[in-house]
Amino acid sequence: MSGHIAVVSNPYAGRGRGGTAAEVALAHLRALGAEVRAYEGSSADDTHRLTSEALAEHPAALVIVGGDGTVTGALDVLCASDVPLVLVPAGTGNDLARALGLPRDDPAAAVELALHGVARPMDIGEVHSDGRSTLFLTVAALGFDAKVSDRTNRLRWPKGALRYYLALLIEVARLRPTAFRISFDGSEAVEMPGTLVAVGNTASYGGGMPVCAGARPDDGWMDTVHVAPLGRLRLIRLFPLLLTGNHLRRPEVVHRQVHEVEVSAPDLVVYADGERVGAVSCRITQRPSALRVMVPVAEGGQHD
């Protein structure tokens, strides 16, 4: 690969893993003789600004060290460029890396794809809600799972994973069906009350939960999963199946592939790539082959 390689990092990503991963990645590229230009920021705004600055210098590849949220924050400028992305996973979930078969625990192997990988086009999802559009990489969550994320963000205690589990318990106790109205690919909206709706560009969210099992990031389709209204016990029993992707076989779960979906509900909350991106109503579309990501050579010819 001719030309320099830009490396954008957030040392605080993944609860501090970003800093260590960036050091390893930079050292490895330089040891391989690559010309490297490093950019370091501490926030999503920094990542967006630094990515724009780095792309303006026309690198051969742009490395982002961080999690899915780090990449999502710069998706608009990444998609507007033809420079391929190299992801060095350093987040808490790393679901994009999982979907693309990227090394998740080896920053040196991940960053070496800048030199020896192959560029794989991937689709990008887009949520239109609250008068704005937000791009996303993995899964848009609507319903129970989005409410758990929302509750987690609003809790001030406890810290870490315990806060998520407390939010989960609160939302299970408050469980009520959501009065979804859904339209697929421009069809007339129909009443589809349920527990949750997930719209997946890739299969998993939350660090490997394959809610949209089988979804592929380069097939031009979005996978939608609708879970019918469930009581607390039935929801708890469904969780082990969610962890393995076997929930799609259940009669209370409907799975279909679409190009566009519109969803509304009075209490609708929409999360994508772990961030709140809308409420009450949304339209979710896709930008086919909008981003090129460097993947291992074997993965470049596969559709995971």
Side-chain angles (χ1 to χ4, degrees), residues 127-129 142 261-264 268 270 278-284:
V127 177
H128 311 267
S129 183
L142 305 85
V261 58
E262 295 186 55
V263 184
S264 63
L268 184 71
V270 187
V280 183
S281 67
C282 70
R283 180 170 62 92
I284 302 177

Side-chain angles (χ1 to χ4, degrees), residues 103-236:
R104 299 200 301 274
D105 301 307
D106 188 342
V111 81
E112 193 168 323
L113 294 173
L115 301 174
H116 304 304
V118 60
R120 174 178 175 179
M122 69 168 287
D123 309 325
I124 297 298
E126 187 166 10
V127 177
H128 311 267
S129 183
D130 286 345
R132 63 190 176 106
S133 296
T134 307
L135 300 177
F136 69 95
L137 296 160
T138 59
V139 178
L142 305 85
F144 174 78
D145 45 0
K147 291 176 182 177
V148 172
S149 296
D150 210 42
R151 177 74 60 179
T152 302
N153 290 343
R154 287 187 281 124
L155 289 174
R156 294 292 173 261
W157 179 93
K159 300 295 184 181
L162 289 177
R163 186 170 58 174
Y164 173 82
Y165 293 125
L166 177 58
L168 182 63
L169 290 172
I170 293 172
E171 291 304 321
V172 167
R174 294 167 55 90
L175 183 65
R176 299 288 186 279
T178 298
F180 295 118
R181 282 182 56 85
I182 306 179
S183 167
F184 298 103
D185 290 330
S187 65
E188 184 176 350
V190 295
E191 303 285 348
M192 293 182 66
T195 301
L196 65 84
V197 172
V199 182
N201 185 48
T202 64
S204 71
Y205 60 4
M209 184 181 293
V211 64
C212 296
R216 300 181 302 191
D218 59 358
D219 63 358
W221 294 96
M222 296 183 298
D223 287 54
T224 66
V225 173
H226 174 273
V227 179
L230 299 176
R232 296 180 185 88
L233 288 178
R234 288 183 68 192
L235 177 60
I236 291 169

Side-chain angles (χ1 to χ4, degrees), residues 42 58 78 84 86-87 96 163 193 201 216 262 264 278 289 299:
S42 59
H58 307 292
L78 288 169
V86 180
L87 175 60
L96 178 61
R163 186 170 58 174
N201 185 48
R216 300 181 302 191
E262 295 186 55
S264 63
S289 302
E299 295 291 336

Side-chain angles (χ1 to χ4, degrees), residues 65-78:
V65 183
D68 295 342
T70 306
V71 179
T72 302
L75 262 182
D76 57 340
V77 291
L78 288 169

